[in-house]
Amino acid sequence: MPFSDDNTATVQAFIELLDGMLDDPLDRRRPPVVTFWCGAGFSKAWDPSSPTDGDLFAIDLDDIHDFPNLQHVLHVIGWADYRRLNFEQFKNLRYVLDMQVRYPDIRNRYFDIQNLKLSISELRTLIMRRFQAACDVQNVDDDLRFTTERDSMDQQNITALFALLEQRARHAGLDANCPLYHFLTTNYDFTIESILERVHAHSAPVFGRLYRGVTPSRICGSTIWEHLPRTVDRTVIKINGGFEILPTLEGFEFEYRARSDRAIREAPPLLILPSQVQDYDEPYFHQVFPKAVRLLRETDVLVIVGYSMPPEDALIRFILRQLAESPSDARGKHVFVIDTKNHDIIKSRLEEVFFYLPSVGWPREHYFSGRFEEFCRRAVTQ
């Protein structure tokens, strides 16, 4: 079956596919599962000021004047005279730190595990600081709500799409404890939580509904037993970590409230930073990756928004491939790709992930050339 990159046809196919799956009597099959795989373009659709990788990870060295361990690292590797690191140089710096941590036998004479770990913490602090300077992180307010004074028209259209999916799921007989859609994201921010907050505006704080692949000991300073009801039925997994994920001796805490720069320095969030070879050795990732794989294998419709499947994301692309381990697993599944990039490139990368796609035609591929907010606008007016 030839793929279509006609936007009108893609939106129509998405709506008709959902209607067809939801029209099937539930006693004959399991409930359908739609998974949104969210890259940087998803956050940028919600907030145009949200930085891309090239903006977030390109740093002036004046930015690290109060990070002594990072300054030491740059001096030791001979980069002290650089005034600015571009995205590729940032990935190289992160790679140097990873290799020094991983292989102590070849570690530089002026590096040790303590200053290396402190440098990684300083990098994570720096990236959160830069993100906060670029856009609104959307921390919760005093009532633990993700709210703003007024949503833009684009934000209203995005919210309307997910509200529409909720309505159609309820109409088809899916109850609130059996959600139609879930999220996997490579982003650090709170965009998904903010959207779901609006969809479920009259419910308890939305993070009580979300299963994150790990269970935190505390959320926003309170034990999880104080955040009731906790139905944890909708999966939201942040594959690269998140600004709210704070490692502790007991495991993890989630902190969605605004924190001071000093507090962030003392307890930086758990973030995977871009590198030439990504390092996912920390316990959080060992726990959430199997959950991501299980969700993908149960997924009928995968919607990839603003994620271009770059070749350096080898492990992430391997996880994405778990939508269908083999051609037989792919039958009946669909992939929708919503992206502003050249779709010849995106198509070739999708077919690298699902290498059997050109020969068997599964999963079915659909392309929308444009921004996610435009896709949402068209979908809700179908």
Side-chain angles (χ1 to χ4, degrees):
M1 176 180 176
F3 83 94
S4 171
D5 60 356
D6 176 73
N7 285 349
T8 300
T10 298
V11 174
Q12 184 175 356
F14 179 73
I15 296 299
E16 291 179 352
L17 180 60
L18 288 179
D19 286 345
M21 291 191 304
L22 290 170
D23 283 344
D24 285 346
L26 291 179
D27 58 353
R28 295 183 184 175
R29 57 158 292 170
R30 64 172 177 79
V33 175
V34 179
T35 297
F36 287 83
W37 182 289
C38 306
F42 183 88
S43 293
K44 205 160 188 66
W46 183 256
D47 181 353
S49 63
S50 179
T52 61
D53 288 349
D55 298 323
L56 185 60
F57 299 107
I59 59 176
D60 292 321
L61 293 199
D62 289 341
D63 294 343
I64 66 169
H65 69 277
D66 55 343
F67 293 113
N69 291 285
L70 274 179
Q71 290 179 331
H72 170 72
V73 167
L74 293 174
H75 173 74
V76 169
I77 66 177
W79 288 10
D81 293 333
Y82 281 28
R83 300 310 327 140
R84 179 175 173 80
L85 301 183
N86 62 29
F87 182 37
E88 291 302 317
Q89 289 167 327
F90 182 95
K91 289 193 291 186
N92 194 23
L93 171 62
R94 186 67 179 96
Y95 174 74
V96 168
L97 292 173
D98 286 343
M99 293 300 101
Q100 297 283 339
V101 169
R102 191 176 301 179
Y103 300 109
D105 291 343
I106 59 172
R107 191 173 290 162
N108 186 288
R109 67 168 66 89
Y110 298 115
F111 287 157
D112 54 71
I113 193 61
Q114 287 77 24
N115 64 23
L116 289 168
K117 288 186 174 181
L118 288 169
S119 298
I120 293 170
S121 293
E122 287 180 351
L123 266 184
R124 289 170 172 170
T125 301
L126 173 63
I127 293 308
M128 186 167 186
R129 180 191 288 181
R130 288 180 55 79
F131 194 97
Q132 289 175 320
C135 68
D136 181 6
V137 179
Q138 300 169 326
N139 298 101
V140 294
D141 59 20
D142 292 341
D143 296 320
L144 303 185
R145 298 287 185 166
F146 299 92
T147 58
T148 56
E149 291 184 3
R150 182 181 179 184
D151 288 348
S152 68
M153 184 58 68
D154 287 338
Q155 290 173 333
Q156 292 176 38
N157 286 329
I158 293 171
T159 300
L161 173 69
F162 293 103
L164 176 66
L165 296 181
E166 293 283 350
Q167 293 167 7
R168 298 201 176 197
R170 299 293 85 76
H171 180 74
L174 294 179
D175 62 37
N177 294 324
C178 187
L180 172 64
Y181 59 91
H182 305 270
F183 295 90
L184 298 172
T185 180
T186 59
N187 301 326
Y188 307 138
D189 58 37
F190 308 153
T191 299
I192 293 170
E193 293 93 331
S194 297
I195 294 169
L196 294 177
E197 179 80 59
R198 288 154 174 78
V199 174
H200 303 282
H202 303 295
S203 303
V206 71
F207 46 68
R209 287 199 62 181
L210 308 180
Y211 181 61
R212 299 289 306 279
V214 296
T215 299
S217 58
R218 303 177 76 82
I219 304 178
C220 296
S222 300
T223 67
I224 60 172
W225 311 115
E226 296 174 74
H227 291 283
L228 299 173
R230 281 184 55 78
T231 51
V232 290
D233 51 9
R234 189 184 304 284
T235 299
V236 176
I237 292 179
K238 297 189 177 182
I239 294 175
N240 284 335
F243 289 136
E244 78 281 18
I245 304 171
L246 308 183
T248 67
L249 293 176
E250 295 78 24
F252 308 96
E253 292 184 6
F254 291 168
E255 182 55 84
Y256 289 105
R257 297 172 297 179
R259 295 198 293 151
S260 68
D261 188 74
R262 179 176 179 177
I264 295 170
R265 290 174 67 101
E266 292 176 352
L270 180 60
L271 309 175
I272 285 293
L273 301 174
S275 172
Q276 293 171 347
V277 178
Q278 300 285 35
D279 180 9
Y280 289 93
D281 284 342
E282 296 184 67
Y284 168 83
F285 303 104
H286 290 199
Q287 294 189 61
V288 301
F289 281 2
K291 303 296 185 179
V293 167
R294 176 166 181 169
L295 174 60
L296 283 168
R297 289 176 178 170
E298 294 173 352
T299 294
D300 300 290
V301 179
L302 178 66
V303 185
I304 303 175
V305 183
Y307 177 70
S308 58
M309 296 166 279
E312 61 265 26
D313 282 5
L315 181 56
I316 300 301
R317 282 164 47 125
F318 181 77
I319 292 174
L320 186 61
R321 184 176 295 156
Q322 303 311 304
L323 175 73
E325 291 182 282
S326 67
S328 59
D329 297 323
R331 294 190 180 277
K333 297 195 174 191
H334 292 253
V335 178
F336 288 79
V337 181
I338 304 167
D339 207 293
T340 59
K341 294 184 177 63
N342 183 299
H343 273 149
D344 289 337
I345 295 175
I346 300 298
K347 176 176 167 60
S348 67
R349 290 178 181 176
L350 185 68
E351 293 178 354
E352 288 172 0
V353 172
F354 303 105
F355 51 87
Y356 44 76
L357 195 158
S359 60
V360 302
W362 291 103
R364 293 282 192 254
E365 48 185 330
H366 313 264
Y367 295 88
F368 184 93
S369 180
R371 295 173 65 86
F372 182 55
E373 62 269 36
E374 175 62 16
F375 175 88
C376 294
R377 185 189 68 79
R378 293 194 187 197
V380 298
T381 55
Q382 273 282 94

